[in-house]
């Protein structure tokens, strides 16, 4: 029996997932959580094989990537399978770098979800087709790759921050920010801040 903990801030979503998962003979939900503290408590107490992790856990809560990193650092860490609505490059990279074994989207068919849980429990990597495509584009030789730091700059740009504010947020000099912007413009084929944000959203590098 594969033991599962659900981490999502929406009770209705958790109830729906529990009903789906518990209908499978070899899967069982042993606990639920809606944030970092409750996730650590439930996982420590119930020792699941797999945690189904949403990435957005509500105002004031740590994000799913941070919760994933915390769970993976436990003495007996569970495997983590992200199940979310977000498929931007920055979200995917943060989750996988935090230690998530797989990344599925909430519009996945139930059978794909069940197969993903079983594969995750076996220690296999599970990726939604669009997520795999994003990672392939990022790693294709000769492809123009936006770095993690450049993603951070783009996210700050989308919030309307100026160079001085971005430098303060990133703990770098304004000259460094200008250098990042120059590289971003070149890679995205744009010449304005608004153009960079629009292109990044279109390419799903950042969220709208």
């Amino acid at each position: 029996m594969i033991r599962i903990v659900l981490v999502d801030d929406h009770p209705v979503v958790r109830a729906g997932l529990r009903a789906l998962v518990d209908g499978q003979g070899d899967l069982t939900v042993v606990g639920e959580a809606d944030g970092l503290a409750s996730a650590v408590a439930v996982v420590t107490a119930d020792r699941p094989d797999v945690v189904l992790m949403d990435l957005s856990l509500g105002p004031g809560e740590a994000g799913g990537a941070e919760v994933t990193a915390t769970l993976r650092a436990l003495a007996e860490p569970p495997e983590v399978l992200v199940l979310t609505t977000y498929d931007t490059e920055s979200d995917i990279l943060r989750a996988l770098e935090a230690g998530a074994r797989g990344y599925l989207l909430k519009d996945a068919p139930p059978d794909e979800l069940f197969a993903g849980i079983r594969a995750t429990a076996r220690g296999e990597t599970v990726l939604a087709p669009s997520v795999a495509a994003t990672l392939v584009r990022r790693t294709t030789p000769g492809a123009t790759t936006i770095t993690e730091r450049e993603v951070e700059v783009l996210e700050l740009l989308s919030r309307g921050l100026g160079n001085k504010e971005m430098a303060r947020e990133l703990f770098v000099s304004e000259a460094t920010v200008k250098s990042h912007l120059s590289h971003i413009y070149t890679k995205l084929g744009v010449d304005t801040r608004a153009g960079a944000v629009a292109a990044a959203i279109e390419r799903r590098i950042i969220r709208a």
Side-chain angles (χ1 to χ4, degrees):
M1 184 70 72
I2 298 173
R3 297 163 56 81
I4 300 156
V5 161
L6 309 175
V7 181
D8 194 298
D9 62 324
H10 293 101
V12 171
V13 173
R14 295 199 306 271
L17 285 172
R18 178 184 281 273
L20 275 175
V21 170
D22 281 346
Q24 300 296 297
D26 60 334
L27 308 178
T28 183
V29 174
V30 296
E32 300 180 14
D34 60 3
L36 177 58
S38 57
V40 171
V42 170
V43 167
T44 301
D46 295 325
R47 297 183 180 179
D49 302 297
V50 176
V51 172
L52 278 184
M53 178 72 66
D54 191 15
L55 287 187
S56 180
L57 298 176
E61 272 292 345
E66 183 179 339
V67 178
T68 296
T70 301
L71 296 181
R72 292 295 297 161
L74 295 175
E76 296 184 36
E79 297 289 0
V80 176
L81 174 59
V82 170
L83 183 66
T84 187
T85 57
Y86 302 116
D87 63 350
T88 66
E89 183 175 304
S90 58
D91 287 317
I92 295 166
L93 292 175
R94 284 175 185 154
L96 297 180
E97 288 170 358
R101 177 68 66 178
Y103 199 113
L104 292 179
L105 302 179
K106 285 184 176 178
D107 61 0
D111 286 346
E112 184 178 322
L113 173 61
F114 303 146
I117 292 172
R118 294 178 182 115
T120 300
R122 294 193 298 268
E124 300 172 10
T125 299
V126 180
L127 299 174
S130 65
V131 171
T134 295
L135 295 178
V136 167
R137 284 197 302 271
R138 181 179 176 84
T139 57
T140 299
T144 301
T145 301
I146 301 294
T147 67
E148 268 299 284
R149 176 61 86 179
E150 288 164 355
V151 170
E152 292 176 353
V153 171
L154 283 164
E155 289 175 337
L156 295 177
L157 267 184
S158 71
R159 287 163 46 189
L161 272 64
N163 289 2
K164 183 177 295 185
E165 291 81 8
M166 286 194 286
R168 189 180 303 119
E169 287 273 343
L170 299 172
F171 301 100
V172 298
S173 68
E174 286 187 59
T176 299
V177 170
K178 290 177 181 177
S179 176
H180 286 315
L181 288 174
S182 176
H183 292 150
I184 288 169
Y185 291 172
T186 299
K187 291 177 179 180
L188 296 181
V190 299
D191 54 13
T192 66
R193 300 163 78 90
V197 172
I201 291 171
E202 183 179 358
R203 290 176 52 178
R204 294 184 173 180
I205 295 171
I206 61 174
R207 301 179 197 171

